[in-house]
Amino acid sequence: MSNRMITILVPVVSIFLGLLVGAIVMLISDYNPITGYMALWNGIFGDSYAIGETIRQISPYLLAGLAVAFAFRTGLFNIGVEGQLIVGWFAAAYVGMAFDLPKMIHLPFALIAAAAAGALWGLVPGILKATLKVHEVIVTIMMNYIALHVVNALIKTLSGGGFKLERIHESASLRSEFLSNLTDYSTLHYGIFVALAMVVVMWFILEKTKTGYELKSVGYNENAARYAGMSANKNIVLAMVISGAFAGLGGAMEALGTFGNMSSMGGFTGIGFDGIAVALLGANTPLGVIFGATLFGSLKYGANNMPNEAGIPVEIVSIIIALVIFFVACGYIIRVGLIRLRNKKEAK
Amino acid sequence: MLDVLYFIIPITIASAAPLIFTAIGGVFSERSGVINIGLEGLMIMGAFIGILFNLFFADTFGAWTPWIALLVAMLVSALFATLHAIASISFRADQVVSGVAINMLGLAVALFSVKMIFGKGQTDFIQQKIPRFNVPFLEDIPIIGPMFFKLVYGSSILAIAVAFIAWFVIYKTPFGLRLRSVGEHPMAADTMGIKVTKIRYIAVLISGGLAGIGGAVYSQTITNDFGHATINGQGFMALAAMIFGKWHPLGAMGAALFFGFAQALAISSSSIKFLEDIPAVYFHIFPYILTILALAGFLGKAKAPKALGKPYVKGNR
């Protein structure tokens, strides 16, 4: 077992432990875990409709995961993905409904508006961190609540006291008849391609550009980067802005693809927080994020089938996701365990 | 004007009490050097257990039910906080990530249990609420009496008492000294023979217990049932109060009272003449903006415990 192998095994063990504890919870609650996990499996892969919906669910997770991972790579912890996603959702829904333009202009405009809104929400903690050394974790958490309340108030104002914005115009929609027909009339839309394109964008920025190199350097060792003549402050701000833009696009997936509008929200979507799990599982690499997003998108959508088929509340999947995050956080001890296991084998 | 104050101040104190408990819990944990973003999840657990116990044992314990429910919520949340303690102290986990997991786990476990037990998304309403009463003699003081001492929740008085006890414990007892030293410079503390790990475990458990009480007070005074939105940001607001109060128990209490005031204004702004034109959203986002400003140093420099967020590894320098 090489060290690289152990790095890959840590998340795998975490997922396994999460599923195992999930099974124990089901057992204690008098449910059959086998029936439960069968229902989950069928909910994800059961038929082409389920597969379409699962893929649809993956796209916002991809973007939320990219947002967290990108910030992580530059040494920042962006817990504000949730808020950035909400303002992005709002911006896209607003542009989609308020303007009437040809599709070639309208759709990109709505997407850019979402990214810009998310970027703006990331700019605040970025600037505060860069100029005043304020820790970004607390600021981004506070920004989440500010986003939630402000967007709810804006929806109320724009809809004349109502709880819902008007539907977006067709010209801003990501909906696709082709993809929908292909998957037995699911709501699968083109958003998944936008999300995958962003995976490539993140990879390109980090691996192929000078900016990406600087961002990673600042994340790795701020002082060394500074010594080498890089502007740590500029890079911190830039990293939060790019991270926020990814998150904002995640909101656009919901606004322009899945829902086609925005309703006022009683609480958070949870996508932003799950994005932390996605990024952690993916070791903060673009390719890893695809893996993490696929797992969590599938779990989240497939869970909806559990109450129907096995009578188990969907929250069991939230428990599993939370446990997986928890076990990934405890990666150190899993790593120690794996290394001990390896040493024992080698001794033999 | 006086009528307005008679109306707002009791709401302020009622909304602040859960924040006071939870924020002081946060003070204990962070003073020992362990970040506790998980306060929200711990509060959720407390709110849920409080309601659950209250519903099931109201017949057995009668009027004592809500108080025993607070105790049970405290114990369960402290137990739940052990997870965070194990992860962040013994397993050297990233404390922020572990806290996020605690938040998600708390909500998921509570909702899962509610669906299992009640077969629906929220619980029934409780019958035995935390009682409100008039404080004898003090209520007769002109002006101040009706403002502060009429129809107060017993839990609010407890909250204020806990703030002073916490201040005494943290600043006037040997345990408090050890707690603070472990949060500032764990290696130095270790050299002096203080058991860093043990103190941190105790601190995180205290934070869990107090957040549990905070949640149970909230659910048994304000919502009277438990559902997915019962605790929606109060834990983070308590975190904000802790920072705004500069990691000091009395400061945290002051900040919590202030945030309670903002909440009370938001609830009642439409019925107050000179406030009716200000949209409620400004009051809603007020505590969060203040916290950002406080952190940015615009409201006086607050310094977090030095070793905050760093796992202590014996023998490392």
Side-chain angles (χ1 to χ4, degrees):
Chain A
M1 226 170 6
S2 65
N3 283 330
R4 190 185 161 76
M5 190 67 184
I6 287 179
T7 307
I8 296 173
L9 269 179
V10 170
V12 174
V13 171
S14 304
I15 295 165
F16 173 75
L17 287 175
L19 291 171
L20 186 71
V21 179
I24 295 171
V25 172
M26 284 190 253
L27 269 179
I28 297 172
S29 328
D30 246 355
Y31 296 119
N32 185 340
I34 298 172
T35 336
Y37 282 135
M38 281 292 283
L40 182 63
W41 180 266
N42 290 338
I44 303 168
F45 301 109
D47 46 35
S48 59
Y49 176 83
I51 294 173
E53 291 292 335
T54 302
I55 299 174
R56 191 259 306 153
Q57 185 72 63
I58 290 170
S59 20
Y61 278 97
L62 268 175
L63 288 158
L66 287 180
V68 180
F70 194 87
F72 255 136
R73 284 299 279 276
T74 58
L76 298 165
F77 198 168
N78 184 3
I79 305 201
V81 171
E82 186 70 39
Q84 292 146 12
L85 188 136
I86 289 173
V87 293
W89 186 338
F90 174 80
Y94 177 75
V95 169
M97 111 188 166
F99 294 86
D100 212 351
L101 299 160
K103 184 147 197 155
M104 287 298 285
I105 303 170
H106 200 179
L107 180 56
F109 180 30
L111 287 171
I112 290 169
L120 182 75
W121 229 248
L123 182 68
V124 177
I127 288 183
L128 287 173
K129 168 93 177 181
T131 57
L132 296 165
K133 299 273 167 269
V134 182
H135 205 290
E136 73 280 7
V137 166
I138 305 290
V139 179
T140 48
I141 290 175
M142 300 300 140
M143 292 294 285
N144 284 342
Y145 283 94
I146 297 173
L148 186 68
H149 290 300
V150 167
V151 164
N152 277 346
L154 285 173
I155 290 173
K156 203 169 170 191
T157 314
L158 285 171
S159 62
F163 293 96
K164 216 159 127 187
L165 291 182
E166 279 169 51
R167 283 198 72 80
I168 56 166
H169 291 290
E170 205 41 50
S171 52
S173 175
L174 280 166
R175 282 283 168 85
S176 144
E177 212 167 304
F178 169 70
L179 290 176
S180 179
N181 288 341
L182 201 67
T183 52
D184 201 13
Y185 307 105
S186 77
T187 54
L188 182 59
H189 53 78
Y190 286 127
I192 187 72
F193 298 115
V194 176
L196 286 171
M198 288 305 128
V199 174
V200 178
V201 167
M202 170 168 165
W203 169 81
F204 188 82
I205 294 177
L206 281 180
E207 306 300 333
K208 295 289 162 198
T209 65
K210 183 172 142 258
T211 314
Y213 182 76
E214 286 194 12
L215 287 170
K216 280 189 294 181
S217 311
V218 171
Y220 201 69
N221 187 334
E222 199 182 308
N223 294 327
R226 231 181 269 258
Y227 186 67
M230 298 171 191
S231 162
N233 289 349
K234 192 193 87 189
N235 281 308
I236 287 170
V237 176
L238 189 64
M240 281 308 282
V241 165
I242 296 175
S243 171
F246 283 138
L249 278 175
M253 299 297 104
E254 308 295 81
L256 308 177
T258 309
F259 294 98
N261 67 357
M262 185 171 201
S263 313
S264 92
M265 290 193 271
F268 290 123
T269 64
I271 298 171
F273 299 117
D274 292 344
I276 297 169
V278 169
L280 283 174
L281 272 189
N284 304 320
T285 60
L287 216 59
V289 166
I290 296 186
F291 163 76
T294 307
L295 182 80
F296 284 116
S298 309
L299 283 177
K300 264 284 154 79
Y301 180 73
N304 297 326
N305 190 40
M306 293 178 84
N308 310 332
E309 215 177 292
I312 301 174
V314 287
E315 281 79 14
I316 186 75
V317 162
S318 308
I319 296 182
I320 293 169
I321 291 182
L323 285 168
V324 171
I325 300 184
F326 186 76
F327 289 126
V328 174
C330 298
Y332 161 78
I333 204 77
I334 296 176
R335 186 176 289 269
V336 169
L338 286 170
I339 290 173
R340 280 217 183 119
L341 206 69
R342 174 181 70 182
N343 293 348
K344 226 181 239 169
K345 266 196 188 143
E346 275 170 6
K348 271 182 193 166
Chain B
M1 184 61 201
L2 217 52
D3 284 344
V4 171
L5 287 179
Y6 286 159
F7 180 59
I8 281 188
I9 288 180
I11 305 180
T12 298
I13 297 175
S15 352
L19 297 181
I20 295 175
F21 282 112
T22 312
I24 288 172
V27 169
F28 272 98
S29 172
E30 304 225 336
R31 277 287 180 171
S32 81
V34 181
I35 299 176
N36 202 343
I37 301 270
L39 289 177
E40 173 96 353
L42 296 166
M43 253 185 119
I44 289 173
M45 195 48 91
F48 164 62
I49 295 294
I51 292 291
L52 194 68
F53 182 88
N54 195 313
L55 283 172
F56 279 117
F57 291 97
D59 293 336
T60 322
F61 295 112
W64 282 98
T65 317
W67 301 107
I68 303 173
L70 289 189
L71 216 60
V72 177
M74 178 187 86
L75 291 175
V76 174
S77 283
L79 197 70
F80 187 46
T82 319
L83 278 182
H84 182 56
I86 294 174
S88 51
I89 302 165
S90 298
F91 290 175
R92 302 178 204 173
D94 185 312
Q95 295 169 5
V96 174
V97 178
S98 166
V100 170
I102 291 288
N103 286 336
M104 293 174 78
L105 196 61
L107 186 63
V109 168
L111 288 182
F112 181 80
S113 313
V114 165
K115 279 219 179 126
M116 254 183 43
I117 300 169
F118 297 89
K120 54 183 180 178
Q122 76 259 20
T123 66
D124 301 325
F125 283 97
I126 53 167
Q127 300 307 323
Q128 295 285 350
K129 298 165 197 170
I130 291 180
R132 307 177 75 158
F133 57 90
N134 300 330
V135 184
F137 305 117
L138 294 177
E139 64 165 320
D140 299 327
I141 305 172
I143 306 180
I144 298 179
M147 253 183 233
F148 294 101
F149 301 112
K150 271 220 164 102
L151 288 178
V152 280
Y153 287 106
S155 50
S156 303
I157 298 169
L158 187 67
I160 292 164
V162 162
F164 282 99
I165 295 170
W167 166 78
F168 184 81
V169 168
I170 293 176
Y171 287 97
K172 302 287 167 196
T173 65
F175 171 76
L177 186 64
R178 290 189 187 126
L179 180 81
R180 284 179 290 142
S181 68
V182 158
E184 292 293 332
H185 202 319
M187 200 171 60
D190 194 6
T191 317
M192 297 303 291
I194 298 169
K195 293 197 174 66
V196 176
T197 308
K198 190 176 134 198
I199 298 273
R200 286 192 170 176
Y201 262 89
I202 295 172
V204 173
L205 257 64
I206 292 176
S207 83
L210 285 175
I213 297 179
V217 165
Y218 190 86
S219 65
Q220 291 183 102
T221 55
I222 295 172
T223 57
N224 297 321
D225 72 340
F226 181 84
H228 75 281
T230 298
I231 300 291
N232 186 12
Q234 281 79 17
F236 288 111
M237 220 187 259
L239 194 73
M242 176 196 74
I243 294 166
F244 194 48
K246 301 181 178 175
W247 287 271
H248 189 291
L250 298 182
M253 177 178 73
L257 281 167
F258 189 65
F259 290 173
F261 184 62
Q263 277 182 328
L265 281 184
I267 296 167
S268 47
S269 63
S270 55
S271 56
I272 301 172
K273 260 240 156 62
F274 58 92
L275 289 177
E276 62 191 352
D277 293 333
I278 304 173
V281 62
Y282 291 109
F283 299 110
H284 284 306
I285 62 177
F286 193 50
Y288 304 115
I289 290 182
L290 266 184
T291 304
I292 294 177
L293 292 178
L295 273 171
F298 295 128
L299 304 169
K301 204 72 200 156
K303 258 171 81 185
K306 263 213 191 74
L308 193 57
K310 296 183 193 101
Y312 176 64
V313 183
K314 227 181 159 82
N316 262 20
R317 320 184 353 118

